[in-house]
């Protein structure tokens, strides 16, 4: 299945700035923490890279804390300039440590935990995104296969969140963990 709208990222960096809210799953925290060679995901909060914010169902969830000066932008955004390409916005976490939501863009994912099915839709990463309408249509099946393991981790997290929805403390416990062992040991059922 392909998305009707062609898309090709132009590296403008617009989706990495402004009022975007980039929520993170547990595997995202693991990848970013390992990128920074941290011992515990709590250190991402202490360093001001991640903060708690109201997410879906009024749950307090971790999200990237955008810098505010000189304008709001992702702390992982790096600007690059070349005579040939001009100014480009690059992600310092790309490709291995980049959050799933950023890897999926411009696709949005909805998970039905009762059926185990995901659905994907095209949402421009930014209202004036210059990549929309350029390039080839997105092959959703190829994207799903490329990100299969991360999609499974996130589905498992959603399942755990649904089980713990009544207790904010146990929800936070899901996101706060030591980075001294492989992520697969945290979710052995995946």
């Amino acid at each position: 299945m392909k998305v009707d709208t062609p898309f090709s990222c132009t590296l403008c960096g617009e989706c990495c700035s402004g009022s975007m809210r980039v929520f993170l799953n547990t595997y995202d925290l693991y990848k970013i923490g390992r990128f920074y060679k941290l011992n515990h995901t709590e250190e991402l909060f202490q360093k001001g890279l991640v903060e708690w914010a109201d997410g879906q169902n009024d749950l307090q969830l971790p999200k990237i804390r955008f810098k505010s000066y000189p304008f709001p932008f992702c702390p992982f955004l790096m600007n690059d300039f070349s005579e040939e390409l001009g100014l480009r916005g690059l992600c310092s976490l790309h490709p291995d440590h980049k959050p799933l939501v950023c890897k999926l863009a411009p696709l949005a994912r909805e998970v039905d935990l009762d059926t185990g099915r995901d659905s994907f839709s095209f949402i421009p990463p930014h209202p004036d995104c210059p990549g929309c309408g350029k390039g080839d249509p997105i092959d959703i099946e190829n994207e799903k296969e490329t990100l299969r393991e991360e999609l499974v981790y996130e589905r498992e997290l959603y399942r755990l969140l649904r089980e713990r929805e009544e207790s904010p403390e146990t929800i936070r416990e899901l996101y706060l963990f030591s980075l001294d062992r492989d992520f697969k040991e945290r979710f052995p059922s995946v």
Side-chain angles (χ1 to χ4, degrees), residues 28 30-32 34-35 92-99 103:
D28 294 333
Y30 174 81
K31 291 183 298 184
I32 296 169
R34 295 291 286 243
F35 177 78
S92 63
L93 301 174
H94 185 76
D96 297 331
H97 300 90
K98 196 172 190 173
K103 286 181 178 181

Side-chain angles (χ1 to χ4, degrees), residues 20-107:
M20 297 293 179
R21 292 169 43 96
V22 181
F23 286 95
L24 303 171
N25 63 41
T26 50
Y27 191 57
D28 294 333
L29 293 172
Y30 174 81
K31 291 183 298 184
I32 296 169
R34 295 291 286 243
F35 177 78
Y36 280 102
K37 298 178 175 38
L38 303 177
N39 296 314
H40 200 281
T41 57
E42 194 165 32
E43 293 175 68
L44 292 167
F45 294 88
Q46 293 166 352
K47 290 182 175 297
L49 297 169
V50 176
E51 63 187 353
W52 296 104
D54 287 335
Q56 290 180 319
N57 302 321
D58 294 323
L59 296 177
Q60 286 282 301
L61 301 173
K63 77 172 190 66
I64 294 176
R65 182 172 180 243
F66 276 30
K67 294 183 178 184
S68 59
Y69 182 82
F71 54 86
F73 66 98
C74 179
F76 309 115
L77 177 65
M78 304 180 314
N79 286 324
D80 178 56
F81 181 81
S82 73
E83 295 291 330
E84 180 182 312
L85 301 171
L87 184 62
R88 300 181 308 161
L90 305 175
C91 179
S92 63
L93 301 174
H94 185 76
D96 297 331
H97 300 90
K98 196 172 190 173
L100 178 60
V101 68
C102 300
K103 286 181 178 181
L104 280 171
L107 294 177

Side-chain angles (χ1 to χ4, degrees), residues 57-172:
N57 302 321
D58 294 323
L59 296 177
Q60 286 282 301
L61 301 173
K63 77 172 190 66
I64 294 176
R65 182 172 180 243
F66 276 30
K67 294 183 178 184
S68 59
Y69 182 82
F71 54 86
F73 66 98
C74 179
F76 309 115
L77 177 65
M78 304 180 314
N79 286 324
D80 178 56
F81 181 81
S82 73
E83 295 291 330
E84 180 182 312
L85 301 171
L87 184 62
R88 300 181 308 161
L90 305 175
C91 179
S92 63
L93 301 174
H94 185 76
D96 297 331
H97 300 90
K98 196 172 190 173
L100 178 60
V101 68
C102 300
K103 286 181 178 181
L104 280 171
L107 294 177
R109 175 185 186 215
E110 188 173 321
V111 178
D112 183 331
L113 292 172
D114 294 326
T115 65
R117 293 193 178 126
D118 333 81
S119 59
F120 294 84
S121 57
F122 181 89
I123 297 182
H126 186 269
D128 299 317
C129 178
C132 294
K134 295 182 180 175
D136 296 322
I138 299 169
D139 183 336
I140 293 175
E141 293 307 315
N142 184 53
E143 294 297 316
K144 284 170 59 176
E145 184 55 34
T146 301
L147 298 170
R148 186 183 59 74
E149 186 174 65
E150 289 192 54
L151 294 171
V152 170
Y153 289 154
E154 190 172 71
R155 184 182 293 120
E156 177 68 5
L157 171 64
Y158 291 157
R159 187 187 65 72
L160 291 170
L161 284 172
R162 184 166 73 174
E163 288 176 2
R164 299 176 184 207
E165 203 169 319
E166 72 288 340
S167 173
E169 296 79 28
T170 59
I171 289 172
R172 280 196 182 207

